[in-house]
Amino acid sequence: MEGLPHRTYTLLEFNALSKELLGAGRESDFIRFALTGEVDGHQAVIDPYVNRISNRHSINLRRDYDSLIGVSSEIEIKSELYIFPLSRHEDTLKTNIHLTWPIRRGNMTHAVPIGQIPNIMLGKWGVRNMLRVMFPAAWVPGKKYQQQLSQGMQRDFFERALRPAIESLTPEEAEEWPVTYSDEMFRGRRANGAFSFQQKILDAYHVPMLPGALREKIDEKNLGWADGCLFLHQVRGTKSATTHDPVEDESSFALDAFLEANSIHQRIQGKESWWIDVGVECIDSKGCLLWRTDSHGHVVQHISGITDRQAGQITSPGSSAYQQDLTSHLTAVSGCRITPGSRTRGPHQIMYIQMYTTEKSLVYNPDGRHHGKAMTGMGAIEFKAEPSFCRSLYELYRNARSRINSHARLEVRVPIKSAKTVLLNIPPEVLRQSLVGLHSTTLWHGCPAFRLLAASRTLILQHNGPAKLRISPNALTLTAGIVWFINSLHSRPEEGKAARDLVASILPHAGPDDHEDLYTFGRHRPAHENEDGSDSDDQDDSEDAQARPSVPYGAVFFRALSLPDVSAVPRLKSGRTVNDETLRHYFGKTLSELRRRINPIGILTRDEEARYRIPTSKKLTPTYVNLTGEPRPNVFSLERQGYSLPPEPVDFGSDLEGDACVEAPSDSLDERLSQIWRQFLIDIVAKSPNPHGAGKPSYCRISVGARTEVGEDVYKNETLSDIWRACRYKIAKDTEWETAFGHLWPPKHSVTSAKAQNYRLCSYFISYKELIASVDDNLANVMRSHIRAKVNRLYWIPHATSDKIWNTSRTPSGFTTLPQGHAGAAPRLLVKGRNPKWEEDAEEDGQEEDAEDPYRPPSP
């Protein structure tokens, strides 16, 4: 900590003292040392360079070809192609692959990241190979999230280009293809809502003819947005099948074999716009090898052939081309990702460089914002004896300690013309000077394991402490920090605004006079680009540029902690804490909600009430389920007008490429909106009020079973006695109808009070608010306009107000009571245009079980 004398520790010494403190029962001292580096009046500084390897250390090198990316106007494969008539949204390329494509607009040529160009999955060949169609003509400058084709574009591509092209090539095979896009949507949709994607085989003879046939149909049908379409070939994750010694003869043979094994024409070796990932792994059969941070520039200079000065510039802290990835939280050993500019690519024209260690593969599992297996915020708060995630991760460390040796890997993306010559003849002394060697026990069961154990013990101490102390801002900030700390032990730290706020609250800060090479968070990420290649728009401009969260002691250490030898509940010492938005990001709850969850005082939130007591009229309405077995038609058609939902960006780790877990695609805009509309019709009736008194029947006559199938016909029925035993109605003015509509379907930025009745327990309302929050203001207004048109075609709706959907009081005036003579409370309705009908011979109260229900489904 600041002000304490420093003492340097090797990794073995750090591990030994951690073990000693733990064995002596000095739990607070163990946690403090492992998490902050503070012990016995001094601050530990970790220096792993004592483990640098000698000039005589034996290193085995293994070279490979890992991935291939090619853009061409032709399809360059020699095998059959498995074509998707309808493609998964998840198969659209959205991630940054560190390559650009020139697109001309007016007098300007834009270098557009390939991952931002509209594209669609066409098919697959081989085991891990994908073929996409790119549409540069559809790219719009400045537009975000345009990679996913709209449903209308997908429909046009299938019906007017792809299927006609197949029909022109193989008429007999085309007879097994669906005729229209809608036909395939109908076929693929299962009863449970999941979608079954089918593949159609195009034989190897006709595959080379497909591009020409497609272009002919695109021209014939005047699909301007598809003009000049290109084919993006991608082969991924092949390094284990292409290993060879790093010498020219073997590199040439291995490349030829690689292309042959993946059924790609050898002629691409002489073509432009083909890139390949070439890797070299440094292997020590007796231990683990890690990259030294101070070697990055040295290595880059030797492999790329640029000058020392250029290499130093693109590997310096703060360079927009350079991102450093700590290994096990250690600043002296780290990998990196480098995107050289046009002047620093060298003679091999290196487009992208990665230096990393292979131990991360044991926890590699990209999931949203995380690059590997990740602990959740609530998993750090709600557990029994110990956090299960920590136990499983600790066991993984134990199992790996004597059987897994981490390799130091170097990987470059180059034009295929350079594939046979790059990463050859690297001087052994360059590698030896760039590596640190550790025994696998030290790497796995040493420093990371002790720090994981200290973090887990901290969570247990918090969990067992007084609830009132657990909910303090300093304690909750530490809890969130522990989650971030554990997840970044084995994977690249999470990025984003919430992560920046968190690390600024939990780590020491570097002042303006600190050494320039000091590792600080927030300056290693290019300011102009997110991982998916889109522009960054969440930079925190308020962050103090004079004091950044830093790692001054050789490892990621928390700022000062108060532990059970001082405080009953572990917490950060007084200082900056995270804001409410960050807490919601990590825990899914606000500070007030976390406090109620951790320290209940007998006043339950409605959320908590649903967990313990579920009264019939107080629970969340059930989600609409289509039980007919047949797809329900969409009742909205915004996609025909060119509107579509933005794709959810998927951020895959660029240092480990591989298949991600693929889930069924989310519904389209029209499907989502149609589902919400059907849910609205059900929810309004489901939440209709009951009179006081348990023995009195409901105001609404519709049976329990029929309420799950309510449709527009109920709301268009002008004979209100078919629906209600008693009600109050008013012929609504346009302003009154619009006001009620505004409460039922509020604008995007409106806020619903926590005191409002019914709204937060209606599934349609929650789904609607989630949907409009996920789109821009223009699309939100368009959706409301279409919903308004649907509502305006109904005859009646509830007289909804800001605090409740259903009102039953006799005020305000202007409402007519039905049936005549009814003197008690009754639900208030707004009706359109004319007075309703009321049949006085409707069944008497108490006889509803035997009466015919006009909205009950007929008995089989």
Side-chain angles (χ1 to χ4, degrees), residues 385-543:
E386 63 178 331
S388 59
F389 182 92
C390 295
R391 166 51 58 185
S392 297
L393 184 58
Y394 186 77
E395 288 300 321
L396 183 148
Y397 287 171
R398 284 177 56 87
N399 294 334
R401 62 180 174 174
S402 60
R403 304 183 66 177
I404 303 295
N405 286 329
S406 178
H407 305 161
R409 182 169 175 82
L410 172 63
E411 199 170 283
V412 296
R413 181 162 294 167
V414 295
I416 197 166
K417 292 180 180 180
S418 298
K420 296 178 180 180
T421 56
V422 73
L423 299 187
L424 295 180
N425 305 314
I426 303 175
E429 62 273 13
V430 171
L431 296 176
R432 292 191 182 101
Q433 293 168 10
S434 305
L435 295 168
V436 165
L438 296 175
H439 192 276
S440 60
T441 301
T442 305
L443 176 66
W444 291 107
H445 201 235
C447 187
F450 280 121
R451 284 157 67 80
L452 171 63
L453 185 59
S456 180
R457 294 275 180 109
T458 302
L459 294 177
I460 294 171
L461 289 171
Q462 285 191 327
H463 184 269
N464 295 337
K468 284 188 176 182
L469 297 181
R470 293 175 61 196
I471 60 177
S472 72
N474 283 305
L476 286 173
T477 298
L478 176 59
T479 308
I482 291 289
V483 173
W484 175 90
F485 181 90
I486 290 173
N487 291 340
S488 60
L489 262 176
H490 51 263
S491 296
R492 189 163 80 241
E494 180 187 351
E495 298 168 334
K497 188 174 181 179
R500 291 196 296 274
D501 179 48
L502 180 60
V503 297
S505 300
I506 64 175
L507 300 185
H509 280 227
D513 298 327
D514 286 308
H515 195 276
E516 176 64 22
D517 289 337
L518 181 66
Y519 184 91
T520 57
F521 284 89
R523 65 173 180 175
H524 293 273
R525 177 183 178 179
H528 64 282
E529 186 177 285
N530 288 319
E531 277 299 304
D532 64 354
S534 63
D535 292 337
S536 174
D537 60 1
D538 67 347
Q539 296 294 321
D540 187 359
D541 296 329
S542 65
E543 187 174 311

Side-chain angles (χ1 to χ4, degrees), residues 542-597:
S542 65
E543 187 174 311
D544 183 7
Q546 298 300 313
R548 291 187 295 260
S550 63
V551 187
Y553 309 121
V556 174
F557 284 128
F558 285 88
R559 63 181 180 86
L561 302 180
S562 288
L563 295 168
D565 55 355
V566 176
S567 173
V569 166
R571 61 173 176 80
L572 290 162
K573 287 191 175 179
S574 181
R576 173 170 173 167
T577 57
V578 295
N579 59 42
D580 213 41
E581 184 180 344
T582 299
L583 286 177
R584 182 180 288 277
H585 175 84
Y586 281 97
F587 298 105
K589 301 181 183 301
T590 63
L591 176 59
S592 58
E593 291 168 338
L594 280 171
R595 284 174 170 170
R596 289 196 296 268
R597 192 68 167 259

Side-chain angles (χ1 to χ4, degrees), residues 57-75:
H57 196 99
S58 176
I59 299 175
N60 296 321
L61 295 185
R62 184 173 67 186
R63 190 176 184 271
D64 58 68
Y65 299 113
D66 190 18
S67 299
L68 178 73
I69 297 170
V71 179
S72 174
S73 59
E74 305 299 328
I75 298 177

Side-chain angles (χ1 to χ4, degrees), residues 586-810:
Y586 281 97
F587 298 105
K589 301 181 183 301
T590 63
L591 176 59
S592 58
E593 291 168 338
L594 280 171
R595 284 174 170 170
R596 289 196 296 268
R597 192 68 167 259
I598 295 171
N599 185 34
I601 58 174
I603 301 176
L604 298 178
T605 64
R606 296 182 181 186
D607 206 30
E608 292 165 334
E609 183 179 27
R611 292 191 302 155
Y612 301 110
R613 178 177 178 271
I614 308 179
T616 302
S617 61
K618 299 294 184 182
K619 64 182 179 180
L620 185 69
T621 54
T623 302
Y624 166 77
V625 178
N626 179 13
L627 299 177
T628 65
E630 300 292 331
R632 298 298 299 269
N634 292 334
V635 296
F636 295 91
S637 56
L638 277 74
E639 290 164 339
R640 293 181 185 174
Q641 303 175 35
Y643 297 103
S644 63
L645 294 175
E648 300 206 0
V650 180
D651 187 14
F652 290 99
S654 58
D655 58 339
L656 286 173
E657 292 186 317
D659 289 334
C661 297
V662 176
E663 299 175 357
S666 58
D667 290 336
S668 68
L669 172 59
D670 290 342
E671 290 170 331
R672 289 274 299 277
L673 212 53
S674 298
Q675 171 76 5
I676 292 171
W677 173 254
R678 294 186 182 102
Q679 187 72 50
F680 162 76
L681 301 175
I682 293 170
D683 287 357
I684 295 303
V685 169
K687 287 300 176 186
S688 60
N690 292 327
H692 291 296
K696 296 182 179 179
S698 300
Y699 292 120
C700 182
R701 294 183 185 277
I702 302 175
S703 67
V704 173
R707 290 188 187 197
T708 62
E709 299 184 4
V710 168
E712 292 181 16
D713 57 319
V714 171
Y715 297 83
K716 293 179 178 179
N717 189 344
E718 298 182 20
T719 305
L720 294 185
S721 56
D722 286 348
I723 306 162
W724 304 100
R725 292 185 173 87
C727 65
R728 288 188 172 84
Y729 77 92
K730 180 180 184 180
I731 299 176
K733 300 176 182 177
D734 290 345
T735 54
E736 293 173 321
W737 188 273
E738 177 63 25
T739 298
F741 168 81
H743 294 309
L744 294 169
W745 301 94
K748 176 177 179 178
H749 298 292
S750 67
V751 177
T752 302
S753 168
K755 297 180 180 179
Q757 297 181 17
N758 306 130
Y759 293 103
R760 293 184 302 126
L761 294 178
C762 283
S763 295
Y764 96 88
F765 193 80
I766 296 171
S767 298
Y768 165 73
K769 295 280 279 184
E770 290 175 345
L771 179 59
I772 62 170
S774 69
V775 302
D776 59 34
D777 290 355
N778 177 60
L779 182 52
N781 292 334
V782 169
M783 288 193 294
R784 284 193 80 232
S785 176
H786 283 70
I787 295 170
R788 180 186 288 107
K790 296 284 290 181
V791 172
N792 287 345
R793 288 195 286 271
L794 305 180
Y795 174 67
W796 65 265
I797 59 174
H799 181 221
T801 55
S802 62
D803 61 338
K804 61 185 70 173
I805 291 178
W806 285 106
N807 290 272
T808 58
S809 66
R810 283 173 283 188

Side-chain angles (χ1 to χ4, degrees), residues 11 251 265 302 368 378 542 696 698 703 705 713 757 773 812-813 830:
L11 288 175
S251 70
H265 289 291
H302 277 84
M378 294 310 296
S542 65
K696 296 182 179 179
S698 300
S703 67
D713 57 319
Q757 297 181 17
S813 59
L830 296 178

Side-chain angles (χ1 to χ4, degrees), residues 161-460:
L162 179 58
R163 193 187 188 285
I166 296 296
E167 192 170 20
S168 70
L169 295 175
T170 59
E172 298 82 5
E173 296 298 329
E175 293 179 357
E176 297 187 13
W177 281 58
V179 175
T180 68
Y181 181 91
S182 297
D183 290 345
E184 179 62 3
M185 290 290 290
F186 169 75
R187 182 211 63 79
R189 184 69 65 186
R190 292 175 176 167
N192 63 0
F195 198 90
S196 172
F197 293 92
Q198 67 170 328
Q199 295 175 317
K200 298 294 184 181
I201 301 176
L202 182 62
D203 62 89
Y205 175 78
H206 287 104
V207 166
M209 305 177 190
L210 181 58
L214 275 175
R215 284 190 286 269
E216 179 181 332
K217 299 304 177 183
I218 288 170
D219 291 341
E220 186 180 297
K221 300 297 183 179
N222 294 318
L223 296 181
W225 60 268
D227 281 343
C229 64
L230 299 168
F231 296 91
L232 176 64
H233 307 67
Q234 190 169 17
V235 178
R236 300 188 298 170
T238 60
K239 66 179 183 180
S240 298
T242 61
T243 57
H244 57 276
D245 290 334
V247 295
E248 190 166 348
D249 288 346
E250 292 206 21
S251 70
S252 179
F253 177 82
L255 180 60
D256 295 345
F258 166 75
L259 296 177
E260 195 64 34
N262 287 282
S263 300
I264 299 173
H265 289 291
Q266 297 289 340
R267 61 177 177 247
I268 70 157
Q269 294 190 46
K271 292 192 174 185
E272 303 292 336
S273 306
W274 286 81
W275 300 268
I276 192 166
D277 288 356
V278 183
V280 164
E281 282 192 18
C282 305
I283 303 168
D284 180 357
S285 60
K286 298 180 180 179
C288 302
L289 294 177
L290 313 174
W291 291 112
R292 290 177 51 163
T293 301
D294 61 3
S295 73
H296 292 173
H298 189 53
V299 172
V300 168
Q301 190 274 324
H302 277 84
I303 66 168
S304 63
I306 59 178
T307 66
D308 287 339
R309 180 174 175 273
Q310 289 174 318
Q313 287 176 338
I314 64 172
T315 58
S316 63
S319 169
S320 62
Y322 174 74
Q323 294 174 278
Q324 183 181 343
D325 300 320
L326 302 185
T327 299
S328 299
H329 283 174
L330 302 171
T331 59
V333 286
S334 65
C336 63
R337 290 159 288 140
I338 305 170
T339 306
S342 59
R343 298 181 180 180
T344 54
R345 291 172 183 163
H348 295 297
Q349 284 297 293
I350 297 176
M351 308 299 293
Y352 186 59
I353 303 171
Q354 296 183 86
M355 298 171 65
Y356 62 93
T357 48
T358 59
E359 88 283 350
K360 295 180 181 180
S361 62
L362 294 186
V363 289
Y364 178 64
N365 186 13
D367 181 15
R369 64 181 187 260
H370 298 292
H371 306 288
K373 289 290 292 184
M375 185 180 198
T376 65
M378 294 310 296
I381 289 177
E382 296 182 339
F383 54 86
K384 294 181 180 179
E386 63 178 331
S388 59
F389 182 92
C390 295
R391 166 51 58 185
S392 297
L393 184 58
Y394 186 77
E395 288 300 321
L396 183 148
Y397 287 171
R398 284 177 56 87
N399 294 334
R401 62 180 174 174
S402 60
R403 304 183 66 177
I404 303 295
N405 286 329
S406 178
H407 305 161
R409 182 169 175 82
L410 172 63
E411 199 170 283
V412 296
R413 181 162 294 167
V414 295
I416 197 166
K417 292 180 180 180
S418 298
K420 296 178 180 180
T421 56
V422 73
L423 299 187
L424 295 180
N425 305 314
I426 303 175
E429 62 273 13
V430 171
L431 296 176
R432 292 191 182 101
Q433 293 168 10
S434 305
L435 295 168
V436 165
L438 296 175
H439 192 276
S440 60
T441 301
T442 305
L443 176 66
W444 291 107
H445 201 235
C447 187
F450 280 121
R451 284 157 67 80
L452 171 63
L453 185 59
S456 180
R457 294 275 180 109
T458 302
L459 294 177
I460 294 171

